Amino acid sequence: MMLACQRFVSVVRNSRTLSRHVTTWSPVGAAFNAQQRKVDLFQKNVGLFGVPGLSTPAGFEVAQQRALRETEQLVETACNNPPGALTVETFDQLSDSLCKVADLADFVKVGHPDPAFRDAAEKACINIGTVVERLNTNVELCRSLKNLLDNKEVLDSLDPDTRRVAELFMFDFEISGIHLDESKVRKAVSLNVNLLDLNNEFLNGTHLPNRIEKTALPEHIRHCFSIDGNSIQIGGLHADSPDELVREAAYKIFLFPNSSLLLCLDDLLTCRNELAKLVGYESFAHRALNGTMAKTPETVMKFLELLTDKLSDRYGRSQIARHWHEHCTTHQCFVLMPWDHSYFSSAVRAERYNIDPSLYSPYFSLGACMEGLNMLFSQLLGVSFQNEQPMAGEVWSEEVRKLAVVHETEGLLGYIYCDFFRRPDKPHQDCHFTIQGGRLKKDGEYQHPVVVLMLSLPPPTRSTPTLLNPGMMENLFHEMGHAMHSMLGRTRYQHVTGTRCSTDFAEVPSILMEFFATDYRVVNQFARHYQTGQPLPKSMVSRLCESKRICGAADTQLQVFYAALDQVYHGKPQNRSTTDILKKMQEKFYGLPYVPNTAWQLRFSHLIGYGAKYYSYLMSRAIASMVWRQCFQKDPFNRDMGERYRREMLAHGGSKEPMLMVEGKDTHYFSWPLPSSLSLGFLHYFSPISSFPRSPLLYV
């Protein structure tokens, strides 16, 4: 009979004794600290995510056709029914039908190991995207919604969530140019369709490696890179290499300009600007920020400049250079260059606080970390994970784990597919993908949300579980914050479920989880040596937390540079090359020099998903810091605080204006004094620490 837990027994030898140490894991911890049980090959193939038909790439075509038939029926229903709540419900059904194909395909095109599946998914994304753009300029469909919003009696009868969703759908029509004449509408649709292709081309290009003749590199460093015949392939910056020459070579080769991708970026930015101007905005940034907390590019730039001033006043503009100068008094040094930033930051932290990742990793086995998350969510929110064995064909790799998320009284909340391990052709990035949004169906049942968390961790072996360094552990907590937002944002409408909210608010729950990940009271609950079972010493956690402040301002300033560059790229046309713009922004917002014949912007993949919105990480960090200090710093396990956090913030998804939640309006609990200008209020809470999204410059 299987026990409720699994025991890992290791034999530890030393010169005097032979002793046995037992570490006991919960079923969740055990599932992630062991190799996945293989799927029964004799089972019927249920299709990806249990979707019938997606057992082969051809299934995407079938799914598209089914969605298009449903779309036609729903459009007819929306246009022919009298205005009312049913109108909004029909629009949401329409959105759900298309998103079920588009969202799933959006993941499969990057996450599936089979090129045939990836190609079929990419075609589905483009086809569904084209349909969406045409629907967003469908005059008759828009009129059915406008009739509702213009009818005061009907509008007053709607509940706040339904009214908010109706307004959001109308906003989508407006930014797509529904008010334009027929010829301009056709132009807007054409631009949007063109953008779909340009987005894919640029995003794919950001991840492609660069090649160089093997003889171009000194022989003693060639082994650090991938050798293919007479050429060397460099697919990253090797920013953590202790060899200065390796870092320099990787930086200059990986970031060497690709002329076709430069043209693609130019076309992408031009197309975005042309679309924004066509539909009535000053720039793409003005269009993209309409509906966010920041509202305008001017507010964003003011926020970034104030943050730069704050960092300068508190730490000096050249914090990393100062630490470098201090370091050079006792070490033989070279001139500090951009390829040194990540390595030097880590080196200074390690030197001052004895932060060696190899000392921490044995305490952060993947199973231990998942067990820690499970315990935290259970205490804070009454939510737990249950490991489930996937059916044949349900997952795209046998290493993928499936978790059911269950509330102690509400029951099943949704599913998280954990694609955590490295494999060939898998993007080296940490991501959260929505596969299916939650919504209340007509029959009264709730459509459970389904998400994928993608990480790039080393897989376990027969003898050793996956061991995380502190940065990996924080990234896991960060991405799980997104997943829980999706699980707990149980809105009536899928259009606003979970993370489908303003981008500069969507990062708040994930960044808040990083504060839990670096609190000793939380870490002490799960950090156990995978062999001995000994807890992580408090002194090691304290040193780790203190070390994050070293070079933290410099790391934050680098993020300010990225955000400012993103704003300028999407502002009014500069009539300069993207590289010239990068040089100027780097000079203004970052202390290290531009390196000739490099084009870092071609590795800035966030320009696609976060175009004009990269500042969101910084703004969300400030807000998350407020939530932590006012709600959880005193007691990170306080159930009352956890329930209120869910009720007042997570549960709404995008169905409530984010500033209302941040400012505490219409709530009785969260009351943070933020001015309407959004300029200085939460900067008071901003503490620069070295924990930011995986950017190409810092982490590849």
Side-chain angles (χ1 to χ4, degrees), residues 254-496:
F254 186 60
L255 299 184
F256 189 80
N258 178 311
S259 57
S260 62
L261 202 57
L262 280 170
L263 287 173
C264 175
L265 179 57
D266 287 341
D267 291 344
L268 174 66
L269 297 177
T270 298
C271 193
R272 284 178 172 177
N273 182 69
E274 189 176 351
L275 175 62
K277 298 280 284 187
L278 181 66
V279 299
Y281 290 90
E282 287 183 53
S283 68
F284 181 81
H286 285 86
R287 179 179 183 263
L289 295 175
N290 195 348
T292 64
M293 287 194 293
K295 304 296 185 187
T296 69
E298 292 78 16
T299 301
V300 172
M301 289 305 294
K302 185 176 182 181
F303 168 73
L304 297 176
E305 288 166 358
L306 286 167
L307 182 51
T308 296
D309 292 342
K310 177 183 172 71
L311 294 172
S312 179
D313 290 344
R314 188 178 295 183
Y315 303 98
R317 284 295 300 272
S318 303
Q319 189 201 31
I320 192 167
R322 189 176 72 249
H323 286 305
W324 183 253
H325 178 74
E326 294 169 358
H327 178 78
C328 286
T329 61
T330 55
H331 296 74
Q332 183 178 0
C333 291
F334 43 82
V335 176
L336 187 66
M337 296 297 288
W339 54 77
D340 300 316
H341 183 135
S342 180
Y343 171 74
F344 173 65
S345 296
S346 299
V348 171
R349 294 182 194 113
E351 183 176 304
R352 293 197 177 189
Y353 292 97
N354 190 25
I355 304 299
D356 182 351
S358 66
L359 298 177
Y360 286 84
S361 294
Y363 296 92
F364 293 142
S365 69
L366 178 57
C369 294
M370 292 301 296
E371 195 166 273
L373 285 163
N374 196 31
M375 289 188 291
L376 176 63
F377 292 140
S378 178
Q379 294 176 74
L380 204 59
L381 298 161
V383 171
S384 62
F385 298 144
Q386 293 180 6
N387 185 59
E388 291 196 0
Q389 180 68 20
M391 302 290 285
E394 185 179 354
V395 295
W396 48 101
S397 169
E398 64 181 20
E399 295 171 335
V400 174
R401 270 66 163 175
K402 179 184 179 183
L403 293 178
V405 181
V406 181
H407 190 272
E408 60 190 23
T409 59
E410 300 170 28
L412 180 66
L413 297 180
Y415 295 99
I416 303 172
Y417 289 83
C418 301
D419 187 359
F420 285 170
F421 305 117
R422 299 169 188 157
R423 60 176 176 270
D425 296 327
K426 179 182 175 182
H428 184 75
Q429 57 189 40
D430 299 341
C431 303
H432 164 274
F433 292 88
T434 296
I435 304 299
Q436 174 176 281
R439 72 181 182 97
L440 187 63
K441 298 190 289 187
K442 281 188 173 182
D443 60 5
E445 293 292 317
Y446 197 80
Q447 176 174 291
H448 297 302
V450 177
V451 304
V452 172
L453 292 191
M454 179 190 284
L455 303 177
S456 295
L457 304 176
T461 67
R462 289 181 179 272
S463 59
T464 307
T466 293
L467 302 179
L468 283 62
N469 62 38
M472 291 175 179
M473 185 269 286
E474 285 184 42
N475 286 339
L476 171 62
F477 271 63
H478 177 103
E479 298 302 333
M480 195 58 76
H482 285 308
M484 295 309 293
H485 195 183
S486 293
M487 296 298 110
L488 295 170
R490 293 175 71 80
T491 53
R492 178 178 175 184
Y493 300 103
Q494 73 84 34
H495 192 63
V496 291

Side-chain angles (χ1 to χ4, degrees), residues 202 205-210 254-255 599-605 696:
F202 183 76
T206 61
H207 301 300
L208 291 178
N210 277 342
F254 186 60
L255 299 184
W600 177 84
Q601 71 272 24
L602 300 184
R603 302 297 181 179
F604 195 8
S605 58

Side-chain angles (χ1 to χ4, degrees), residues 129-130 132-138 172-196 271-272 274-280 287:
T130 301
V132 169
E133 296 307 331
R134 288 175 179 158
L135 289 173
N136 282 342
T137 53
N138 184 314
D172 290 337
F173 280 119
E174 290 169 351
I175 66 172
S176 297
I178 193 68
H179 54 285
L180 303 174
D181 61 44
E182 189 173 342
S183 64
K184 290 182 178 179
V185 165
R186 286 198 298 270
K187 177 66 172 175
V189 171
S190 176
L191 288 169
N192 273 307
V193 172
N194 190 28
L195 278 172
L196 293 173
C271 193
R272 284 178 172 177
E274 189 176 351
L275 175 62
K277 298 280 284 187
L278 181 66
V279 299
R287 179 179 183 263

